[in-house]
Amino acid sequence: MKLLIELLTGDLQPEYKTTESEIYAGEANLFRSGISIGGKLFLTSERLIFLPHKFNFNKKIEYIELSEVNVFQSITSLNILNNTLAFTLENGTELIFIVNNIEIWMEEIERAKKVVDLI
């Protein structure tokens, strides 16, 4: 299974701004309009970037400026799994991602957001 995930997401690389650097990345699913979209989530010093893998019908890339994130939290899915990141943006948009290593994601996002909020 891990090999299949690597085949689907291993070649996904975002285009970074010259002012940003990658902090953390991993496989993720984004829930959009009730549909789970597989791909890879990248945390940079300025943004979250979600790249859907090539086998999805919906291939829209999501760029989320950390400065636009009002609330982010870890929530439990199916009342047993702590693997869900929920974001609420300034414009009211809500985004839900399923990720591995939720504790690392939460720590790194919190750290990066503090830096962005100071600027």
Side-chain angles (χ1 to χ4, degrees), residues 16-30:
Y16 295 126
K17 298 177 189 176
T18 57
T19 57
E20 71 186 329
S21 58
E22 183 178 304
I23 296 172
Y24 193 67
E27 292 79 23
N29 286 339
L30 167 63

Side-chain angles (χ1 to χ4, degrees), residues 1-43:
M1 182 67 167
K2 190 167 184 137
L3 179 60
L4 178 61
I5 291 171
E6 183 60 30
L7 288 172
L8 293 175
T9 63
D11 61 340
L12 297 178
Q13 291 298 318
E15 291 185 20
Y16 295 126
K17 298 177 189 176
T18 57
T19 57
E20 71 186 329
S21 58
E22 183 178 304
I23 296 172
Y24 193 67
E27 292 79 23
N29 286 339
L30 167 63
F31 283 90
R32 188 183 291 144
S33 303
I35 298 170
S36 177
I37 301 164
K40 198 165 186 179
L41 184 62
F42 298 84
L43 171 64

Side-chain angles (χ1 to χ4, degrees), residues 8-117:
L8 293 175
T9 63
D11 61 340
L12 297 178
Q13 291 298 318
E15 291 185 20
Y16 295 126
K17 298 177 189 176
T18 57
T19 57
E20 71 186 329
S21 58
E22 183 178 304
I23 296 172
Y24 193 67
E27 292 79 23
N29 286 339
L30 167 63
F31 283 90
R32 188 183 291 144
S33 303
I35 298 170
S36 177
I37 301 164
K40 198 165 186 179
L41 184 62
F42 298 84
L43 171 64
T44 75
S45 53
E46 298 177 28
R47 304 182 288 176
L48 284 159
I49 304 168
F50 178 75
L51 298 178
H53 59 64
K54 57 189 166 196
F55 295 106
N56 289 305
F57 290 112
N58 189 334
K59 294 180 175 60
K60 180 182 177 221
I61 298 171
E62 289 287 341
Y63 297 98
I64 305 149
E65 297 289 335
L66 291 176
S67 61
E68 294 177 7
V69 173
N70 274 352
V71 177
F72 71 96
Q73 60 188 338
S74 166
I75 58 176
T76 303
S77 61
L78 303 173
N79 292 324
I80 55 170
L81 299 173
N82 185 16
N83 63 350
T84 305
L85 283 173
F87 295 89
T88 303
L89 307 183
E90 286 179 350
N91 65 7
T93 300
E94 293 182 350
L95 297 166
I96 304 288
F97 294 93
I98 304 296
V99 297
N100 293 319
N101 304 315
I102 190 90
E103 298 84 9
I104 297 171
W105 278 106
M106 291 296 292
E107 285 176 24
E108 295 298 341
I109 292 168
E110 186 173 331
R111 187 176 297 130
K113 181 124 177 68
K114 282 180 183 177
V115 172
V116 166
D117 289 346

